[in-house]
Amino acid sequence: MTTTQTSVVHDLGALAHRLSHPARTPCVCEPPQVLADRPDGTVVRSGAIVAKAHAADTDREALAARIALAAAPQLAGILLPPLPAPAPAAPTARPVTLWPLGAPVDPTDPGAAPWAEAADLLARLHRTKPPFPLPPMRGPAKAARAVARMRAALRADATAVSCGTGDAATLPRDPATLSGDAAAPPRAPAALSVLAGWRALPAWARGEAPAPVRGGSLCHGDLHLGQLVRHPAPDGPWLLIDVDDAGMGEPAWDLGRPAAWYAAGLLAPEDWSTFLDAYRCAGGPAVPADGDPWPALDVPARALTVQTAAVALAKCAAEQRDPDEHEQLMIESCARIATLPPELATGPAS
């Protein structure tokens, strides 16, 4: 952890502790706990308060709209509402938000994963009329960032492989051109599959054009099981968290990750059926009320497949390791979808 990261974690912990700790009482609190520390967000918990420092390049006006959305009465029971944040004494390099502590999904108990509850929350979110103007949902932009992250990691990987064999500055910028290079990193062939899947997507799914829906629906933008908590902990109702990517867009995007996992064989058919049936029963607009859902889910599922595989390869390059079994399945899915017509590119796992 860099000095800057250490300072951010310390400051977040101190803020969360000060707000959760009764004044003038003996302190018996445990030390602040780092829940996440990534370039796009550092999250620290103290007591019942969670403090988050968002990325330095965050659009602060858009973030303010998204935080206001989470606090809006229309979203009560769907989104975890934020806590009031004290005004900083001076401008900060990274915007900070405060949240109540919730109980997350237990990763050690896959059978208890709240797929039906997640689907119901999504359907209710998608049906809610936005209470005020909102920025576009950032799902496609997040997929583009994942591919850019993979490209950067592969370039760094190639530099490491070529060390002592030539000038690293002359290495190609695109990992797709590394496949036949003597200095090519071992992950370059896998990156070719991911890039092929990426190029097969329409421009809107790559964040290069508006989504082909007028107005769209209110979307979460980054749905996965880590985005649900019970509040009040530990047995309160499930709520969606992390509105950093929320906004107006194509609602099928929020179903894209479960659909991608199902298509790759990572999500059991019964869990997928539970999720899809619950979404439909709750009146979700992303897919037809009955019949084949895949025409609506095809592009989002392909995009989330590429995003997941790109992030996996970036991590593998940084950690100098081969993809694990689950990561390899997503990479292989990229190779499969890149060779099929769009309407056949994603479907049930065989």
Side-chain angles (χ1 to χ4, degrees):
M1 188 179 294
T2 67
T3 301
T4 300
Q5 288 174 306
T6 301
S7 175
V8 169
V9 168
H10 175 271
D11 292 348
L12 288 177
L15 175 62
H17 179 266
R18 175 163 57 86
L19 295 176
S20 65
H21 191 273
R24 299 185 180 85
T25 58
C27 180
V28 294
C29 301
E30 297 180 356
Q33 177 186 3
V34 179
L35 303 181
D37 188 16
R38 301 183 301 270
D40 62 340
T42 301
V43 184
V44 178
R45 169 209 172 180
S46 182
I49 304 291
V50 175
K52 179 174 182 177
H54 302 260
D57 62 353
T58 295
D59 181 330
R60 298 191 181 219
E61 183 177 348
L63 176 63
R66 292 175 170 119
I67 300 305
L69 177 71
Q74 296 91 327
L75 279 301
I78 300 174
L79 299 177
L80 180 73
L83 297 172
T92 57
R94 298 170 65 178
V96 173
T97 54
L98 298 172
W99 305 87
L101 179 68
V105 175
D106 184 356
T108 66
D109 188 6
W115 287 113
E117 293 86 347
D120 181 76
L121 288 169
L122 276 186
R124 291 164 57 197
L125 178 69
H126 294 165
R127 297 197 329 260
T128 300
K129 182 179 179 180
F132 40 75
L134 288 166
M137 177 266 290
R138 296 201 311 167
K142 193 157 192 169
R145 289 199 304 274
V147 173
R149 176 183 171 188
M150 181 192 72
R151 290 177 184 271
L154 265 291
R155 288 198 295 270
D157 204 9
T159 301
V161 170
S162 67
C163 184
T165 65
D167 183 4
T170 65
L171 286 173
R173 292 181 57 82
D174 191 330
T177 64
L178 295 177
S179 57
D181 194 297
R187 282 155 287 276
L192 288 173
S193 296
V194 177
L195 290 172
W198 180 245
R199 288 190 293 268
L201 292 170
W204 76 265
R206 300 195 303 265
E208 299 170 0
V213 289
R214 292 186 178 181
S217 298
L218 183 53
C219 301
H220 181 275
D222 188 30
L223 189 280
H224 53 80
L225 289 180
Q227 306 289 36
L228 287 94
V229 298
R230 285 187 179 275
H231 180 73
D235 299 316
W238 289 105
L239 297 171
L240 293 170
I241 63 171
D242 191 358
V243 293
D244 288 30
D245 301 304
M248 304 306 296
E250 168 53 64
W253 192 276
D254 284 342
L255 282 67
R257 186 177 271 108
W261 289 348
Y262 170 55
L266 294 176
L267 182 63
E270 56 270 25
D271 290 333
W272 169 248
S273 294
T274 295
F275 177 82
L276 182 62
D277 291 348
Y279 183 83
R280 283 172 154 166
C281 287
V287 295
D290 52 36
D292 185 5
W294 286 103
L297 298 177
D298 172 61
V299 169
R302 286 191 284 145
L304 270 298
T305 297
V306 171
Q307 177 181 321
T308 304
V311 170
L313 281 177
K315 290 181 178 179
C316 289
E319 298 166 8
Q320 291 294 293
R321 63 173 176 83
D322 293 329
D324 63 26
E325 181 181 0
H326 288 177
E327 293 167 336
Q328 188 60 39
L329 281 173
M330 299 307 290
I331 293 166
E332 292 172 357
S333 290
C334 288
R336 179 172 64 87
I337 65 179
T339 61
L340 295 174
E343 68 274 11
L344 300 177
T346 306
S350 58

